[in-house]
Amino acid sequence: MPMLAALADLAHRRPRAIAATALVVAVAAAWFGSSTPSRLQSSDNDFQDSSAESFRTLDLLSRSTGVLPGPSLLIVARPGEAAVAAARLRAEPSVARVTPRAAVSRDGRLVLVTAWFRTHGAAVAPNVSQLSRNLPGLVGGPTLANEQVGRESERDLVRAELIAFPLLLLLALWIFRGVVAALLPVAAGLLVLFMTLALLRLINDVRPISVFALNLVTGAALGLAIDYSLLLVSRYREELARHGPGRAALRATLASAGRTVAFSAGTVAAAFASLLVFPLPFLRSMAIGGIVVAPLAGLVALTLLPALFALLGARVNALAPRRWQRAAERAARPDEHGGWYRFAHWVMRRAVWVALASATLLVALGVPFLAVRFVGIDASVLPPSSTARQVNDALRTRFAPGLDAPVHLVIHARTPRGVAAAVRQMPAVARVAPPERLGPRLWALDVVPRAGAMSDSTKHLVRELRRLPGVAVTGRTAWYLDTAASLSRRLPLALAILALTTFVLLFVVTGSVVLPLKALVMNVLGLSAAFGILVLVFQDGRLEGLLGYRSQGALELTQPVLLFAIAFGLATDYGVFLFSRVKEAHDAGLPNREAVALGLERTGRVITAAALLFCVAVGAFATSGILIVKELGIGIALAVAIDASLVRALLVPSLMALLGDWNWWAPASLRRFRR
């Protein structure tokens, strides 16, 4: 690529200017982006389709009544405290309505106080945290839960960075066998992290970004930057041994590994972009973050690192014990055949059995996903220390069921009597409030079901209510059903975009039709295994003590969609690493098996190290107090680990050995597009 050659020449001519510019950008971005975590917001709307019936009905109720359908704030307290809380809430200008005795616990010791906030007026946006501190009892509800999610996300980010950075530095030191070489990926990772936070702040000022994107995007920024740096540093060492320091080594590094980084960044960005087809702000926030961070990581790797290579030259191997230096020099020699080379030949001699065994294991690990159950997001994703979570738990365990799942109806009719009477006759209904007039031929009706929001009976109730003439339904259960339907409708399009872009990018890299198709199948196998483990751990409640969470008995509804897109892109990322080196060897005239062995020799350690470092960067969010962030961090780490071990080390070389020269087949009509 001429552009990569130009970048190499620029790095050779102006290394100090590039390094100084990167330092200035890092300082400015760190200062500007430091406030980003506090600026991102959490909202129930993040997980709703604005075109769905539940959202439109909620909006209609909010505009017609001037009150957020809710309640927005819930207080669980002893009777005396409840009276005090109700009085203080009535004095708050932002509170439109208070029910001082909405429910009594089964043992009669606790009272539920509910409050509704205004949607317009002089005091629409109260300081909910400040308000809750002035109320006795346990204070929760959707509005406070959203604030607590934001604060917990900020704490998670700091905690994850404090855990990840020391581990990443130690692992990089062990992987690169030298202090200088180990510091290069960490420097690139910090620059990408700071720039990502700064860009997220700018984007958030134009289009609000969900706070849930913060952890994933920053983890991906760090992980991708380190992965790309690892690839470039490893290749530069090879070219240094071949050409010595100078322009030739830089050009050769960017022409090979640089090209791989460019395609890899495009692959990951395309995987994130597939999430844009979903109308949920949560998924679109993730997509926007990924579309920004993947090219940014590639850009930093392709500009900063070559400049540092030019400045350091052979000193890239400095500050290392002599034994480590010798090992690094041996690994960099192009004629060195080490453990991965021998392992690849061992696998290919037993190709049939290795392919069958590894594929069977992946399928077996994925079987539990067939029993997956889904749940919507609520305060139960917060840590037990948060008051919103405590109120949510109290409602489910100490009060009558259904209080956490009010169903709100809008009735288009001259009179609501017929609908109200029909609703009262439904066996899943516990209580029906008096109808409230919203306007001509427009009424509101609140219903309390007999079971919780995610129960089968409440879901069936919502479906039955929607069959009534002139009735529109909203509430948590309606939102869940609409979101599930929206995801189901858009999923085929997202998968088609993901498969097509992956196929095209891998074809450009390999010039083969067979390898991209095989990569798609292997990615699906690896991801199904990761999903199966997630079901075993989070749905079935295993490792609760070790991971510090309490199972919801299901996975959050959007998690598989998000995980599939991200992990699919990362798996393809590692496929690009391996296939590009195998093709390079094959194009040099080596037979198929020798090319596979040499490709695995040159990338096996790199892919394993990259996967390990990425797992640390993203897996650090396993310490998150927010359950869906914990699920996401562990899910991505699992998918990456499975792909780097079972798929890249076993399944890929065994299948490439079985297919032989068919690996490189392409129809005549497409051969002219090969590079």
Side-chain angles (χ1 to χ4, degrees):
M1 289 183 180
M3 178 63 72
L4 295 175
L7 285 175
D9 292 341
L10 179 63
H12 180 70
R13 290 195 311 270
R14 300 282 189 272
R16 287 183 176 83
I18 294 174
T21 302
L23 180 60
V24 171
V25 169
V27 172
W31 171 79
F32 185 74
S34 60
S35 64
T36 300
S38 61
R39 291 171 178 267
L40 304 186
Q41 300 296 319
S42 170
S43 169
D44 292 338
N45 293 346
D46 289 346
F47 295 84
Q48 295 191 49
D49 179 356
S50 60
S51 66
E53 176 187 314
S54 56
F55 187 91
R56 289 185 283 106
T57 305
L58 187 75
D59 183 61
L60 175 61
L61 285 170
S62 298
R63 288 186 288 102
S64 300
T65 63
V67 178
L68 286 171
S72 301
L73 212 60
L74 306 173
I75 300 95
V76 173
R78 292 188 294 270
E81 294 175 330
V84 173
R88 291 179 180 174
L89 285 169
R90 288 194 184 98
E92 172 62 42
S94 59
V95 174
R97 186 166 75 242
V98 178
T99 304
R101 201 176 177 86
V104 179
S105 63
R106 293 188 185 96
D107 58 11
R109 296 181 179 179
L110 297 174
V111 172
L112 175 65
V113 181
T114 57
W116 284 255
F117 287 144
R118 303 183 190 278
T119 58
H120 56 268
V124 175
N127 187 327
V128 180
S129 297
Q130 181 64 41
L131 178 61
S132 66
R133 283 193 288 270
N134 295 327
L135 297 173
L138 284 176
V139 184
T143 306
L144 182 60
N146 288 332
E147 284 198 8
Q148 291 181 347
V149 163
R151 290 199 301 272
E152 187 65 32
S153 294
E154 291 184 54
R155 288 193 291 267
D156 288 346
L157 181 60
V158 174
R159 185 192 307 118
E161 289 175 351
L162 290 175
I163 292 171
F165 270 108
L167 286 175
L168 289 171
L169 187 56
L170 289 173
L171 286 171
L173 183 62
W174 170 66
I175 291 164
F176 286 101
R177 302 187 178 104
V179 175
V180 173
L183 288 175
L184 297 180
V186 176
L190 281 171
L191 177 57
V192 175
L193 178 61
F194 294 152
M195 292 177 69
T196 298
L197 289 173
L199 287 173
L200 283 181
R201 176 178 168 179
L202 289 174
I203 295 170
N204 186 67
D205 290 341
V206 178
R207 185 200 180 282
I209 299 291
S210 171
V211 72
F212 289 107
L214 180 67
N215 305 94
L216 170 66
V217 172
T218 53
L222 194 58
L224 287 174
I226 290 176
D227 278 7
Y228 297 158
S229 303
L230 176 62
L231 187 64
L232 286 171
V233 171
S234 300
R235 188 59 184 249
Y236 179 69
R237 280 174 154 177
E238 292 182 34
E239 301 303 335
L240 199 61
R242 184 180 289 114
H243 300 287
R247 186 193 302 266
L250 289 175
R251 278 197 159 213
T253 298
L254 290 193
S256 53
R259 183 177 184 274
T260 301
V261 167
F263 277 108
S264 175
T267 300
V268 176
F272 274 101
S274 67
L275 295 172
L276 289 174
V277 305
F278 297 103
L280 276 63
F282 167 69
L283 292 179
R284 289 189 170 176
S285 294
M286 296 292 189
I288 292 169
I291 292 170
V292 168
V293 78
L296 186 61
L299 179 64
V300 169
L302 294 174
T303 53
L304 175 61
L305 288 179
L308 296 178
F309 294 158
L311 287 172
L312 291 168
R315 293 191 300 275
V316 74
N317 296 319
L319 297 181
R322 188 171 298 278
R323 182 169 58 88
W324 282 12
Q325 284 187 357
R326 288 196 298 267
E329 290 168 0
R330 283 197 306 272
R333 286 200 294 267
D335 57 346
E336 179 69 19
H337 292 169
W340 281 102
Y341 178 87
R342 294 188 294 272
F343 177 76
H345 276 297
W346 182 89
V347 168
M348 289 187 288
R349 285 195 299 270
R350 302 162 179 81
V352 173
W353 296 110
V354 170
L356 284 174
S358 52
T360 301
L361 179 58
L362 290 172
V363 171
L365 289 173
V367 166
F369 189 63
L370 297 175
V372 67
R373 296 185 297 274
F374 296 113
V375 68
I377 190 168
D378 59 20
S380 63
V381 303
L382 285 163
S385 58
S386 69
T387 58
R389 162 75 178 272
Q390 293 168 15
V391 168
N392 186 75
D393 292 346
L395 282 179
R396 294 185 178 185
T397 58
R398 304 193 63 176
F399 288 79
L403 292 175
D404 66 328
V407 179
H408 311 291
L409 277 62
V410 170
I411 304 169
H412 298 266
R414 187 173 60 84
T415 173
R417 293 175 185 172
V419 171
V423 172
R424 290 189 183 95
Q425 298 301 314
M426 293 181 177
V429 172
R431 188 169 70 249
V432 179
E436 178 184 353
R437 185 182 179 89
L438 301 179
R441 302 179 64 85
L442 195 64
W443 305 82
L445 186 69
D446 287 348
V447 177
V448 177
R450 294 187 182 277
M454 295 297 107
S455 66
D456 290 339
S457 64
T458 304
K459 292 175 186 175
H460 180 71
L461 171 64
V462 170
R463 295 187 186 101
E464 289 295 310
L465 291 171
R466 283 178 164 172
R467 294 191 182 100
L468 297 175
V471 171
V473 183
T474 189
R476 278 185 55 212
T477 309
W479 154 76
Y480 170 85
L481 294 174
D482 288 345
T483 302
S486 178
L487 291 175
S488 298
R489 285 194 305 270
R490 305 296 181 93
L491 186 60
L493 176 59
L495 293 178
I497 293 172
L498 190 60
L500 181 61
T501 54
T502 299
F503 179 88
V504 170
L505 284 166
L506 284 176
F507 173 76
V508 173
V509 170
T510 64
S512 164
V513 168
V514 175
L515 290 179
L517 290 175
K518 187 172 63 174
L520 292 174
V521 174
M522 288 187 294
N523 287 358
V524 171
L525 283 175
L527 286 172
S528 67
F531 288 158
I533 297 173
L534 278 182
V535 168
L536 290 174
V537 173
F538 288 102
Q539 178 173 298
D540 297 348
R542 294 175 171 85
L543 307 180
E544 284 184 325
L546 178 64
L547 296 177
Y549 76 99
R550 192 179 71 186
S551 173
Q552 296 177 294
L555 299 183
E556 196 276 319
L557 184 62
T558 61
Q559 290 294 297
V561 173
L562 181 59
L563 263 174
F564 191 91
I566 297 170
F568 196 94
L570 292 172
T572 307
D573 186 37
Y574 295 139
V576 170
F577 287 11
L578 175 57
F579 290 149
S580 60
R581 287 306 293 261
V582 174
K583 185 177 189 301
E584 186 179 325
H586 188 264
D587 288 348
L590 293 178
N592 179 72
R593 290 199 175 207
E594 188 66 14
V596 172
L598 190 60
L600 196 59
E601 167 66 20
R602 289 300 171 199
T603 60
R605 190 171 186 272
V606 173
I607 291 175
T608 303
L612 179 60
L613 292 170
F614 197 94
C615 286
V616 170
V618 178
F621 291 107
T623 62
S624 173
I626 302 174
L627 182 57
I628 62 172
V629 175
K630 189 187 297 286
E631 286 180 6
L632 190 60
I634 292 177
I636 294 175
L638 279 171
V640 167
I642 290 170
D643 184 77
S645 55
L646 290 175
V647 176
R648 301 296 151 206
L650 296 174
L651 203 52
V652 168
S654 59
L655 289 178
M656 290 192 78
L658 290 173
L659 288 171
D661 289 338
W662 282 102
N663 285 305
W664 311 104
W665 180 84
S669 59
L670 294 178
R671 287 175 193 161
R672 61 192 179 95
F673 293 106
R674 289 176 171 175
R675 70 180 177 96

